[in-house]
Amino acid sequence: MRIITYKEQAYACSSGESVLECLERQGIMVPSSCRTGVCQSCMMRATQGVAPPKSQNGLKSTLRAQNYFLACVCQPEEDLVVTLAGEEALQHTSATLILREKLNKDIFRLSLTCRTPFEYHAGQFVHLYRPDGLMRSYSIANVPEADGVIELHVRRLPGGAMTGWLHDALKIGESLDIAGPFGNCFYTPGNPEQGLLLIGTGSGLAPLWGIANDALQQGHIGPIRLYHGSWNPHGLYLVDELSALSARHDQVHYGPCVDSEALTQHSAGRADHIAFSDLKNLKGWRVFLCGHPELVQSAKKRAFLAGASMRDIYADPFVLTGTGPVVTS
C-alpha cells in the first residue's frame, strides 16, 4: 500500500490500484477520458516521490523530467505527493537588476539576481511584475549558474508599457517580482547523439541560445543546427558569440538568416525555409521552435512532415499584446 497526498490530504492507494482510481474512490474528480494512457487528460505531477517510468510513456521528455505522469496508468511504487497539471505551486521571489545592455537596436539583455534560489531550465520562461501589477513573460537565455543570475532578452516595442519601463525606468540595483518557471521548451539529457534543430526569430533566439549551451554543457555530441532569422541584418544579434560557439564545437552549425533582399553576408530567406532546405529528413531529430507565431506554427507542421515525431517538437510562439510581449507555450 502506498500513500497518495493531494491538496494536503493523504489517501491509501491499494496494491494494483492506479492513482486515478485511488482519488476517484475518495470522491475526488480528476479529468480523464480514455483511461489507457493515450489521451493524457489525466496528467498529474509528483512534487515529492518519483512516478514509475511506465506511467510517463508518451509524454515529452521535458514533462518526464519534471515528473509529470498519467494518473490512469500510474500504479505507484512509492509514496507520492501529487498535483493536477496546472495546479503546481510556482516559485515566487524578488529579483534585482544587475545588468542592462543593448544586443541590437531593439533587443536588450537584462541580468537579474534572485533573492532566494530559483530553479529552472534554460529555455523556460518567467513572469515579470511591475510594481503596479502589470505582468509580462520572457524566456530565460542562460544555463543555471551558482551565482543565481537569470538572463533575459527583451525586445523593446514602441509604446510598450512593460518594455519601456524595463528599458528606461527600472534602475540598476532596483528589484521586481518574478514567478515561474513555465514551459517545456528545454533540453533534456538521455540521447546525446540525437540531432537538434533550433529555429527562431527576433528575441526567440533567447531560449535557443540557452538550450544550445545547456546541451553542450551536458555532453551532447549529436549535431546542433541553430537558425536565427530577422527581417534585416540589424535584427540579428549574438552573431559573434554564436559564430565562436560554432568554431569551438564541430557539431554546432549557426545559420543567420535575413528575410529582406538587402545585401548581406548572411543567408537570404526565412530561417525556417532555409533550415528545411538544408535538412530534408528529420526522423529521429529533436526540434525547438521559438519566435513569431506564424513561423512557429508553419515550422511545426513542416518538421512533422519531414519525419520528426510530435513528441520531439517543442514550440514557444511569442505572442505580442498591445503593450508588450507575452510568451506562450
Side-chain angles (χ1 to χ4, degrees), residues 30-174:
V30 176
S32 64
S33 181
C34 72
R35 305 181 78 90
T36 60
V38 175
C39 72
Q40 301 186 3
S41 61
C42 65
M43 187 163 61
M44 303 188 80
R45 184 183 185 188
T47 57
Q48 293 181 32
V50 178
K54 65 182 180 182
S55 68
Q56 299 180 309
N57 287 343
L59 297 183
K60 288 180 179 289
S61 61
T62 48
L63 293 173
R64 298 196 300 270
Q66 296 174 86
N67 218 14
Y68 286 90
F69 66 92
L70 302 174
C72 68
V73 292
C74 179
Q75 296 181 7
E77 298 170 357
E78 58 184 271
D79 295 347
L80 299 176
V81 178
V82 304
T83 65
L84 281 173
E87 287 184 345
E88 304 90 336
L90 299 174
Q91 301 171 89
H92 293 264
T93 190
S94 175
T96 301
L97 178 65
I98 60 172
L99 174 71
R100 177 172 49 224
E101 66 173 326
K102 293 189 70 171
L103 296 174
N104 66 19
K105 186 172 72 73
D106 299 316
I107 296 171
F108 57 97
R109 174 191 281 129
L110 292 182
S111 293
L112 306 168
T113 182
C114 296
R115 181 172 299 173
T116 58
F118 194 88
E119 297 181 1
Y120 65 89
H121 297 278
Q124 291 187 291
F125 60 94
V126 293
H127 291 339
L128 299 189
Y129 294 88
R130 206 169 64 175
D132 62 0
L134 182 69
M135 182 275 289
R136 294 290 183 265
S137 303
Y138 302 97
S139 290
I140 303 172
N142 66 307
V143 177
E145 301 289 353
D147 59 10
V149 172
I150 293 178
E151 177 183 321
L152 310 173
H153 300 170
V154 179
R155 178 186 172 196
R156 187 180 185 187
L157 298 175
M162 182 61 115
T163 59
W165 178 74
L166 290 171
H167 187 275
D168 299 326
L170 183 66
K171 295 179 173 58
I172 302 296
E174 292 185 339

Side-chain angles (χ1 to χ4, degrees), residues 147-209:
D147 59 10
V149 172
I150 293 178
E151 177 183 321
L152 310 173
H153 300 170
V154 179
R155 178 186 172 196
R156 187 180 185 187
L157 298 175
M162 182 61 115
T163 59
W165 178 74
L166 290 171
H167 187 275
D168 299 326
L170 183 66
K171 295 179 173 58
I172 302 296
E174 292 185 339
S175 298
L176 72 169
D177 292 332
I178 71 171
F182 304 90
N184 299 307
C185 194
F186 59 86
Y187 178 80
T188 55
N191 192 354
E193 297 181 355
Q194 184 178 29
L196 305 181
L197 173 61
L198 304 93
I199 306 174
T201 58
S203 59
L205 176 61
L208 304 183
W209 169 247

Side-chain angles (χ1 to χ4, degrees), residues 59-65 121-122 184-199 208 210-212 214-216 218-227 275-276 279 281-290 299-300 302-304 306-315:
L59 297 183
K60 288 180 179 289
S61 61
T62 48
L63 293 173
R64 298 196 300 270
H121 297 278
N184 299 307
C185 194
F186 59 86
Y187 178 80
T188 55
N191 192 354
E193 297 181 355
Q194 184 178 29
L196 305 181
L197 173 61
L198 304 93
I199 306 174
L208 304 183
I211 290 166
D214 195 15
L216 291 169
Q218 296 199 54
H220 195 86
I221 59 175
I224 301 174
R225 300 185 66 93
L226 190 157
Y227 296 82
F276 292 119
L279 296 169
N281 184 357
L282 291 175
K283 184 176 181 179
W285 283 63
R286 206 183 316 179
V287 181
F288 299 90
L289 309 168
C290 302
K300 189 174 182 179
R302 291 191 66 176
F304 175 73
S309 167
M310 288 301 295
R311 191 169 58 182
D312 282 334
I313 301 174
Y314 301 84

Side-chain angles (χ1 to χ4, degrees), residues 228-310:
H228 180 221
S230 172
W231 172 247
N232 59 57
H234 304 295
L236 298 173
Y237 68 98
L238 295 184
V239 174
D240 292 341
E241 292 87 339
L242 281 161
S243 297
L245 190 72
S246 178
R248 289 196 305 271
H249 300 276
D250 291 340
Q251 79 267 39
V252 176
H253 167 82
Y254 165 52
C257 309
V258 175
D259 290 6
S260 69
E261 298 179 357
L263 292 177
T264 173
Q265 72 271 31
H266 308 304
S267 298
R270 278 182 30 157
D272 56 331
H273 293 173
I274 294 170
F276 292 119
S277 176
D278 290 348
L279 296 169
K280 295 180 171 58
N281 184 357
L282 291 175
K283 184 176 181 179
W285 283 63
R286 206 183 316 179
V287 181
F288 299 90
L289 309 168
C290 302
H292 193 282
E294 188 277 328
L295 176 140
V296 168
Q297 187 60 33
S298 171
K300 189 174 182 179
K301 180 178 179 180
R302 291 191 66 176
F304 175 73
L305 293 175
S309 167
M310 288 301 295

